[in-house]
Structure formats: C-alpha cells, structure tokens
Amino acid sequence: MLKHFIFWTVFILFNLVKSLATFKDKGDVYTSKLPISSIIGNLPDIITAYIVVYIIFEKLIKKRKYLLGTLSFFIVIYIMSVLNRLWVVQVVETIYRIPPFEQESFMEIINEPRHLIAYYMPSLVLSSFVFAAVKYYFENEGKHLKQLEIEKEKSSIELKTLKGQLNPHFLFNTLNNIYSLSVMNSPQTSNAIAKLSEMLDFVLFKCDDQLVSLKNELALIRNYIALEKLRYTDELQINITSDINVPAKVPPLILLSLVENAFKHGASANGGAPEITIDITSNEKTVEFFVSNTVSASEKTQERKSIGLLNIKKQLDLIYGTNYTLDIDTNADLFSVKITIQKNVN
C-alpha cells in the first residue's frame, strides 16, 4: 500500500509540474488552483490503471485470454476516456474557470471521438502501462530476493548437513585409534588424547563459519597425522609440504577428509610400504591442495566410492560454484586428489 501511495504521489507531482510549466501564463488565479485540480484531475488515470492491471492483465492476459483481454483493454480505455473528459468538464474545470462559461454535454463528448483519441486515450494508456511496469518490476524483484533467501537458506542447511556427515566419520576413526592404543596400554595414549582434544576444539567451536583459516586447517591436519602415525610402524612414509605465501580461507574439514581418505585407502589397506604425500600452496590467485596415496593390491580391484569425496564435491559446488576444480586421478599404484580454488573471482 505504501508503494502505491508513493507512486501516485510522484505521478501527480510530475503532472502538476508539467501543468505549471505549460500554463504559467494563465495568471495567478489559475495557477493557485492547479494543485487541487491536478489531484482531482488524475483520479480517472488512477482508476483506469487499477482496472487495466488488476482485471485485464491479471484476470485475462495472464490466463492467456489474449483476444478477450485486448478487446477489453480498448473498450475500457475508450469508456474511461469518455468519463475522463466528462470529469474534466463537469468537475475539474469548474475549480479554476470563472463563470459564466459553457460546458460540453455528454453527447457532444461522445460525438467527438477524435478529441478523445488524440488527448485522453494516450494519457490513460501511458499511466496504466507505467503503473503496470513499476508494479511488476517490484513484484519480480521481491520474488527474486525471496528466491535468493530461500536458496541461501537451503545452501546453509545443506552445508550443515554435509558437515554433520563428515564430523562423525572423523570422530569414529580417531576414537578407534585411541581405543587401539589403550588396549595395548601404550604410553602414547595420553598424547593421543591431548591431540584429539585440540582437534575437537577446532571441530566443535571453530567450524561454524563457512570458511576457516587455511593455517588452522593445516594445523588440524598435522594433529591428525601425528595421531594416525601412532598406529603405524616406520614403514609408513608421510611427506607433507606447505607453501602459504598469501593467507587464505577454505571450507572447514574438507582437506582433513581427503587426508583421512588417504589413510583409509593408502595406509590401512596397504600391507607393503605405504606412502602418503600432501602438498598445500596458497598464492595471490589460487589455493591448491594435493594428496596422494599408494594403492594396495586389494584396492586396485575395487572402485573407490567414498562418502567423504561425494560430500566434498557437494560442499565445493555450493560454496564456489564453477570457481574451483576437483581432479581425481587413479593409476596402477597411486590414487591422488587435487583441489584448485580460484581467489578473488567476481
């Protein structure tokens, strides 16, 4: 309702200014009466606009009744032109004209359609279409903003759901590691619990944001690796390098999940000399994360279908759209994953 009031206020003020400029030589008596006559004189335009938009457009045109809608439009415009001229003659002109003066009769107005077509019909058509254009623009804009809000909320819920699927997976694996150490009465159990405490602090209290510091994510990965190394002999080779020249932010737990995946399929399933390689770089343009692991004989015969990998792709799609690449490479002896995230993409 407020938008309608503002629109018609601007519309009336525009016509008032136009009338003042056009009839400035008519004298003070005439110009002093223009504000009230302008308000009253625009009533037919307002009524016509609402009939055209809310009846003809909404009830006929939008329902694809094009022929009936078109005929109705021209009939309404013509009838309202007659009524508009009658309104001007019988009401508006009496405000500023000094009697005695002659006024056109109803029949005289009807019998002069050229005057209606030349002056009144274009005005009514223009005001109706301007009102319709503004109305539908704001309606579409409102729908667009509402849709964006719905999509944003949907994405937020989906991201939380995906994170919820990653976190229990990580906790399950880590708790199993500590349980194995406790069964063996290993003196390293307390150290493992301390590492887990640091990791839980990150997971529970620092992962609520959509993005976290790459350095914090790297610290989490190092803690996880230190925890995992307690379970393996010196035969497990882990090569981790990082080159973070420019600070960056990444989605929490995504990189950790890839490292988990490498341990699961490269270390736990490999009976020989497993090897895991991790490389993290950040520069002005991109953030790159690479992890690879050797593939055991049993793994070679199986197609790797990881819930973690599927969730990672979904999260990256939601956050980055097309501004990232996820490359998965499998060959006879090595499985590798590389994520490249583009920075500062408008």
Side-chain angles (χ1 to χ4, degrees), residues 231-243:
R231 298 177 54 214
Y232 298 98
T233 65
D234 293 337
E235 291 180 349
L236 172 63
Q237 298 181 42
I238 300 176
N239 306 307
I240 178 168
T241 57
S242 62
D243 184 13

Side-chain angles (χ1 to χ4, degrees), residues 310-322:
L310 294 176
N311 285 343
I312 286 168
K313 187 177 187 309
K314 287 181 181 179
Q315 286 199 61
L316 292 171
D317 285 341
L318 287 169
I319 297 171
Y320 297 109
T322 59

Side-chain angles (χ1 to χ4, degrees), residues 3 7 53 58 62 129-145:
K3 291 179 181 178
F7 173 83
V53 171
E58 293 289 335
K62 275 193 172 183
F129 275 84
V130 169
F131 175 69
V134 173
K135 175 184 180 296
Y136 290 125
Y137 170 79
F138 280 107
E139 280 188 0
N140 290 333
E141 190 69 15
K143 289 178 181 178
H144 179 64
L145 292 174

